[in-house]
Amino acid sequence: MLIADATAVPICDGALDSVVTDLPPYGQSVRIRAESMDELYDGSLAEIRRILRPGRRAVVVTHRDITPIAAQHFTVLQEHEQRVHKSLTRRILVLG
């Protein structure tokens, strides 16, 4: 198990073949250290890009549409939605 800041992961550049993550934060009333949720997602996706080997993929699940942010770091290969209940829809992005 690894516990780390999602925007500063202690893994070498290009070390991973894939990343699959349910991006935090969880819940609507959680505290974050970033200036905004968008900044947190941007930093997290930048780290995922950094630690992935070139040409590899990431699958990211969120409760928000972060496609525009993801597109700054990756090619968005697929987008899916899964409605869980009336106030929660999971958004699943396949990134390359």
Side-chain angles (χ1 to χ4, degrees), residues 18-51:
S18 61
V19 172
V20 178
T21 184
D22 186 352
L23 275 180
Y26 308 106
Q28 299 298 323
S29 61
V30 67
R31 286 181 65 186
I32 61 171
R33 292 186 180 178
E35 290 293 319
S36 69
M37 291 293 292
D38 286 352
E39 183 181 295
L40 176 63
Y41 287 125
D42 184 65
S44 298
L45 289 165
E47 275 298 277
I48 292 169
R49 170 85 279 161
R50 182 186 66 75
I51 63 178

Side-chain angles (χ1 to χ4, degrees):
M1 174 184 259
L2 175 69
I3 298 173
D5 180 337
T7 64
V9 180
I11 295 175
C12 295
D13 295 359
L16 301 181
D17 287 323
S18 61
V19 172
V20 178
T21 184
D22 186 352
L23 275 180
Y26 308 106
Q28 299 298 323
S29 61
V30 67
R31 286 181 65 186
I32 61 171
R33 292 186 180 178
E35 290 293 319
S36 69
M37 291 293 292
D38 286 352
E39 183 181 295
L40 176 63
Y41 287 125
D42 184 65
S44 298
L45 289 165
E47 275 298 277
I48 292 169
R49 170 85 279 161
R50 182 186 66 75
I51 63 178
L52 268 180
R53 286 193 176 105
R56 301 304 179 140
R57 294 184 179 177
V59 176
V60 176
V61 180
T62 67
H63 69 285
R64 294 179 49 190
D65 181 8
I66 62 164
T67 304
I69 299 168
Q72 294 175 21
H73 301 281
F74 292 93
T75 299
V76 179
L77 302 171
Q78 295 179 31
E79 300 176 61
H80 305 278
E81 288 189 356
Q82 176 192 31
R83 185 176 172 153
V84 177
H85 53 74
K86 66 180 179 178
S87 65
L88 176 61
T89 298
R90 287 192 180 124
R91 290 173 173 77
I92 303 156
L93 299 177
V94 180
L95 309 170

